[in-house]
Amino acid sequence: MPRPEVLERIKEAEQEADDIVAEAEEERDQRISEAREEAEEIRREADDEASELHDERLAEAREEIEAEREEVLASGEDEREKLESRARGNEEEVTDYVVDLFEEAVHAQT
């Protein structure tokens, strides 16, 4: 093969190699870009799921707190009613006691 042809084939082979390298670099850059986009999408989805889970847990905690609040209020209401009932039961006795004290005080002054 004559030298000019060999030289031309070498140049063609070098050009082919350069084209292959350039194509590989372009494909690498594209894959990196796609991987970054996919990673960003995964991060967004994870953030959304975390936010949703946070909201669910917060709602559950609020429901539990409300249930406990209602329970405490009901217990307090029961206790108040018991105290009122005992107080009403002692009303006559207390009234008699106060009247007796008053009468003793009046007799003591006379």
Side-chain angles (χ1 to χ4, degrees), residues 7-107:
L7 186 57
E8 185 61 35
R9 289 194 70 195
I10 291 173
K11 286 182 181 180
E12 286 174 5
E14 286 178 346
Q15 184 60 48
E16 263 184 64
D18 288 346
D19 290 346
I20 290 171
V21 168
E23 188 177 311
E25 287 175 348
E26 186 177 314
E27 188 175 321
R28 177 201 66 202
D29 291 345
Q30 184 177 352
R31 285 186 180 178
I32 289 172
S33 177
E34 289 171 358
R36 284 184 177 145
E37 288 174 10
E38 186 176 344
E40 180 61 25
E41 180 62 27
I42 289 170
R43 186 196 61 76
R44 265 189 252 116
E45 288 174 4
D47 283 349
D48 290 347
E49 287 177 19
S51 179
E52 187 176 308
L53 182 59
H54 172 267
D55 291 346
E56 287 174 8
R57 286 186 177 168
L58 185 59
E60 288 172 4
R62 285 183 175 152
E63 287 175 11
E64 288 177 19
I65 289 169
E66 184 60 25
E68 285 181 36
R69 177 183 169 277
E70 292 298 324
E71 194 175 302
V72 167
L73 288 175
S75 174
E77 182 67 20
D78 289 345
E79 187 64 28
R80 183 189 61 79
E81 288 174 4
K82 287 177 187 174
L83 289 172
E84 282 181 358
S85 176
R86 279 194 346 215
R88 274 187 246 109
N90 293 334
E91 222 172 71
E92 189 175 322
E93 187 179 319
V94 169
T95 303
D96 290 343
Y97 178 72
V98 170
V99 168
D100 289 345
L101 284 178
F102 179 74
E103 287 175 351
E104 286 178 17
V106 168
H107 289 300

